[in-house]
């Protein structure tokens, strides 16, 4: 029998009057951004940019966004990401405020619930953006999670805010490899500010957590994968700030734990093999997935801190049900007497940032064609704002669904899943932001593309011809009169 946990009755079917309110809510959100923009033109372009992101155009680049916005040229949208004067960090703060307002738990939550739920949770993760060229800010051979291998890409570090209501991305930082930071000509070409210095990914994560903290964002737990869990400085910072954390570590991480046989100092993989027995494992659900509960076997051992066990620090091990040899390891700092199921729920919250990144990529997270440092931040910030807007609609619709209503008569009550961001976008695409149908505009854009492509090809061929001419006059190369022999 199918579970009805995430279903709502047909009586909660969305009326057209509610859908028609969505673009009004988008304009209301846009009005909040007015103080961040110096000129009304850029401010208006920001709204058109958000609407185009929410549409179903195949690529969210300047040309297609401008065409979707029914503009005759792409220059206004390109200027929005490059030279227009507006505060992208201020818009990021407005994004965070929107997510906090949408997802925050009730203020009258009873005391002592830290042992009943881990939320709110901050989740740290990164995402790669494959690139063909070598001029985009921060691009280079790096591990790309999208493809699972090292390739030419940019890497962004992201922060997601997860509560019992939903989850959304709230912050972003572009990772600049050390060789990029030391290469002044490349920095200048990509317009990287002089104030930007090399920071590791854990340092970027710490910076974003500090910003969330400064904004008084309610936070109980911080979770992340091995890139961040392997960093002692990040763990120490989170502990100093009083945040509980569950950070994954590689199998080679060396720790000291308390076992039944005494202290054991070794790498976590060896500890799991030597110290954990059948009775130590518990089968628990990390979170609810699309196909049901995400079940794993879990075990924990007390960690030694300053020569003693304090009931707060643990090594937690996760074992896959399908393959018992597949283990994952987590260093945990939790409030005293925190039960293992709460720790497991906090660890399970990490999956939500992968869902957030996937949903954002469907919106065009990696569709940008800007090379500059500033352009990356501006595109990503506006896209995260559009994604948060979709989440806010879903949360509000869910709250409306929970209100009592009389069931309709004369027709069966069919189950529905709760409204999702992708479904909201689908409705917006087909009902509110359809593709342009103006024949003159479509023909104009066809002429513009073909003209631009002609001149791009012309100047590319001319540069290659000039480069070839310079080669032929270098010492040791054939003279200009004999150049045909060299070319052949």
């Amino acid at each position: 029998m199918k579970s009805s946990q995430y279903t709502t009755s047909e009586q909660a079917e969305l009326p057209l009057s509610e859908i028609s309110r969505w673009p009004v809510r988008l304009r209301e959100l846009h009005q909040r951004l007015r103080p961040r923009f110096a000129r009304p033109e850029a401010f208006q372009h920001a709204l058109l940019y958000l609407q185009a992101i929410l549409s179903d155009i195949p690529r969210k680049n300047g040309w297609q966004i401008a065409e979707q916005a029914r503009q005759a040229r792409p220059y206004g949208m390109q200027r929005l990401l490059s030279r227009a004067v507006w505060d992208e960090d201020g818009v990021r703060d407005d994004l965070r405020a929107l997510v906090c307002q949408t997802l925050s738990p009730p203020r009258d939550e009873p005391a002592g619930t830290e042992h009943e739920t881990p939320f709110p949770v901050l989740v740290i993760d990164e995402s790669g953006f494959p690139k063909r060229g070598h001029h985009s800010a921060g691009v280079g051979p790096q591990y790309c999670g999208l493809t699972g291998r090292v390739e030419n890409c940019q890497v962004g570090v992201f922060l997601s805010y997860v509560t019992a209501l939903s989850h959304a991305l709230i912050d972003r930082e572009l990772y600049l490899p050390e060789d990029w930071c030391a290469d002044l000509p490349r920095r200048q070409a990509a317009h990287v500010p002089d104030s930007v210095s090399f920071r590791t990914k854990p340092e970027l994560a710490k910076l974003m957590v500090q910003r969330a903290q400064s904004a008084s964002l309610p936070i109980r737990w911080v979770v992340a994968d091995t890139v961040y869990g392997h960093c002692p400085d990040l763990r120490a910072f989170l502990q100093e700030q009083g945040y509980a954390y569950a950070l994954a570590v590689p199998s080679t991480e060396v720790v000291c734990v308390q076992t039944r046989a005494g202290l054991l100092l070794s790498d976590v993989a060896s500890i799991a093999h030597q110290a954990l027995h059948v009775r130590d494992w518990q089968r628990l659900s990390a979170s609810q997935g699309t196909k049901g509960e995400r079940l794993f076997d879990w075990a924990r051992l007390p960690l030694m801190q300053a020569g003693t066990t304090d009931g707060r620090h643990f090594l937690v091990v996760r074992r896959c049900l399908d393959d018992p040899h597949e283990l994952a390891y987590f260093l945990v700092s939790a409030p005293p007497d925190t039960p293992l199921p709460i720790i497991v729920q906090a660890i399970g919250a990490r999956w939500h940032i992968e869902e957030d990144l996937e949903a954002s990529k469907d919106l065009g997270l990696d569709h940008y064609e800007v090379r500059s440092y500033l352009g990356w931040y501006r595109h990503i910030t506006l896209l995260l704002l559009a994604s948060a807007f979709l989440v806010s609609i879903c949360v509000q619709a869910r709250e409306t669904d929970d209100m009592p209503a009389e069931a309709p008569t004369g027709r069966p009550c069919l189950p529905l899943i709760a409204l999702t961001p992708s479904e909201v976008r689908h409705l917006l695409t087909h009902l509110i932001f359809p593709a342009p149908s103006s024949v003159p505009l479509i023909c104009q854009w066809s002429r513009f593309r073909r003209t631009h492509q002609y001149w791009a090809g012309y100047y590319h061929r001319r540069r290659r011809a000039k480069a070839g001419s310079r080669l032929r006059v270098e010492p040791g190369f054939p003279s200009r009169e004999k150049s045909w022999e060299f070319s052949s």
Side-chain angles (χ1 to χ4, degrees):
M1 180 177 178
K2 293 185 178 179
S3 171
S4 59
Q5 181 178 358
Y6 291 94
T7 63
T8 178
S9 67
E10 193 176 11
Q11 68 191 38
E13 185 176 342
L14 277 171
L16 287 176
S17 60
E18 176 60 26
I19 297 174
S20 65
R21 279 277 305 160
W22 294 349
V24 176
R25 292 185 58 189
L26 180 62
R27 288 193 292 271
E28 291 172 350
L29 172 60
H30 175 245
Q31 284 300 317
R32 294 191 202 177
L33 311 180
R34 184 65 187 89
R36 311 299 186 184
F37 290 81
R39 295 182 60 85
E41 295 85 358
F43 178 59
Q44 183 59 29
H45 280 132
L47 176 60
L48 298 175
Y49 204 94
L50 290 170
Q51 291 173 345
I53 286 174
L54 295 170
S55 73
D56 65 347
I57 55 177
R59 294 286 297 176
K60 307 300 171 61
N61 55 38
W63 286 21
Q64 294 195 31
I65 286 176
E67 185 176 3
Q68 171 70 23
R70 295 165 173 78
Q71 297 189 336
R73 294 288 188 274
Y75 308 129
M77 293 302 176
Q78 291 171 342
R79 179 179 173 80
L80 176 69
L81 300 185
S82 57
R83 297 186 301 276
V85 180
W86 60 281
D87 183 5
E88 64 281 352
D89 287 340
V91 173
R92 174 208 61 209
D93 294 343
D94 294 332
L95 154 69
R96 182 179 56 232
L98 169 66
V99 173
C100 181
Q101 177 185 353
T102 302
L103 303 185
S104 288
R107 293 186 179 275
D108 58 351
E109 188 179 60
T113 55
E114 65 270 12
H115 292 328
E116 299 173 10
T117 174
F119 304 113
V121 179
L122 279 184
V123 188
I124 306 164
D125 203 358
E126 62 191 68
S127 183
F129 306 94
K131 293 292 175 182
R132 294 181 180 177
H134 302 279
H135 303 289
S136 299
V139 74
Q142 305 173 79
Y143 177 79
C144 180
L146 183 65
T147 60
R149 61 177 183 270
V150 174
E151 62 177 274
N152 195 59
C153 66
Q154 292 172 294
V155 174
V157 182
F158 293 89
L159 196 65
S160 184
Y161 191 59
V162 181
T163 75
L165 292 176
S166 191
H167 46 90
L169 296 170
I170 61 171
D171 209 342
R172 72 289 177 264
E173 284 291 338
L174 177 62
Y175 172 69
L176 289 180
E178 198 165 5
D179 59 336
W180 250 93
C181 292
D183 192 336
L184 184 59
R186 290 182 84 190
R187 289 176 61 109
Q188 292 175 338
H191 304 287
V192 178
D194 294 338
S195 59
V196 175
S197 59
F198 173 70
R199 283 193 177 102
T200 64
K201 294 171 186 176
E203 287 172 340
L204 293 175
K206 176 182 174 181
L207 179 65
M208 292 190 290
V209 173
Q210 287 174 322
R211 285 200 291 254
Q213 182 183 38
S214 299
S216 301
L217 194 70
I219 304 167
R220 282 187 178 165
W221 283 77
V222 179
V223 299
D225 67 9
T226 56
V227 173
Y228 309 92
H230 190 51
C231 177
D233 291 341
L234 180 60
R235 300 199 302 262
F237 164 74
L238 295 175
Q239 186 162 320
E240 288 170 4
Q241 303 309 310
Y243 296 137
Y245 64 75
L247 305 177
V249 292
S251 60
T252 55
E253 187 83 14
V254 175
V255 297
C256 183
V257 298
Q258 178 72 55
T259 71
R260 291 184 179 88
L263 297 182
L264 177 58
L265 174 65
S266 186
D267 60 86
V268 292
S270 299
I271 289 174
H273 178 71
Q274 298 175 32
L276 294 176
H277 305 286
V278 175
R279 61 182 178 276
D280 296 320
W281 297 94
Q282 297 183 47
R283 185 155 299 178
L284 298 168
S285 171
S287 63
Q288 177 75 26
T290 56
K291 298 180 180 179
E293 301 286 350
R294 292 189 174 103
L295 291 171
F296 294 90
D297 288 333
W298 300 83
R300 65 173 171 176
L301 292 167
L303 272 177
M304 297 296 296
Q305 291 287 118
T308 184
T309 56
D310 57 8
R312 298 175 58 95
H313 294 84
F314 302 94
L315 168 65
V316 174
V317 183
R318 185 186 71 198
R319 185 173 67 185
C320 183
L321 301 186
D322 297 332
D323 183 2
H325 299 289
E326 185 179 332
L327 303 177
Y329 313 93
F330 304 87
L331 297 185
V332 173
S333 174
D337 303 320
T338 301
L340 182 58
I342 295 299
I343 297 175
V344 169
Q345 287 183 43
I347 294 172
R350 201 191 74 80
W351 270 296
H352 291 308
I353 196 170
E354 297 184 11
E355 296 170 349
D356 291 335
L357 289 169
E358 187 64 31
S360 298
K361 286 175 180 176
D362 289 342
L363 288 174
L365 186 70
D366 55 351
H367 289 187
Y368 58 89
E369 294 180 355
V370 294
R371 291 181 176 179
S372 73
Y373 182 85
L374 178 64
W376 186 90
Y377 276 91
R378 289 185 164 182
H379 169 79
I380 298 296
T381 301
L382 290 173
L383 189 137
L384 297 190
L385 184 64
S387 180
F389 168 73
L390 295 178
V391 171
S392 70
I393 289 180
C394 294
V395 172
Q396 185 187 53
R398 202 174 306 140
E399 292 172 350
T400 303
D401 292 347
D402 291 338
M403 296 175 61
E406 294 184 4
T409 59
R411 62 176 181 171
C413 195
L414 300 176
L416 300 171
I417 69 166
L419 196 64
T420 63
S422 61
E423 186 62 28
V424 172
R425 180 180 166 228
H426 179 81
L427 292 170
L428 285 169
T429 292
H430 293 281
L431 300 177
I432 310 298
F433 305 131
S437 57
S438 167
V439 173
L441 178 65
I442 293 173
C443 292
Q444 161 66 23
W445 270 96
S446 175
R447 289 193 297 272
F448 177 85
R449 283 191 294 269
R450 288 181 288 142
T451 301
H452 187 279
Q453 289 161 2
Y454 168 82
W455 286 111
Y458 169 79
Y459 285 114
H460 179 68
R461 291 189 296 271
R462 193 172 74 168
R463 282 194 300 270
R464 292 190 65 181
K466 286 184 178 180
S469 299
R470 286 195 296 270
L471 279 175
R472 287 193 288 270
V473 299
E474 289 289 332
F477 284 93
S479 65
R480 191 175 294 272
E481 291 78 9
K482 296 289 186 177
S483 61
W484 62 272
E485 295 177 358
F486 177 72
S487 301
S488 61

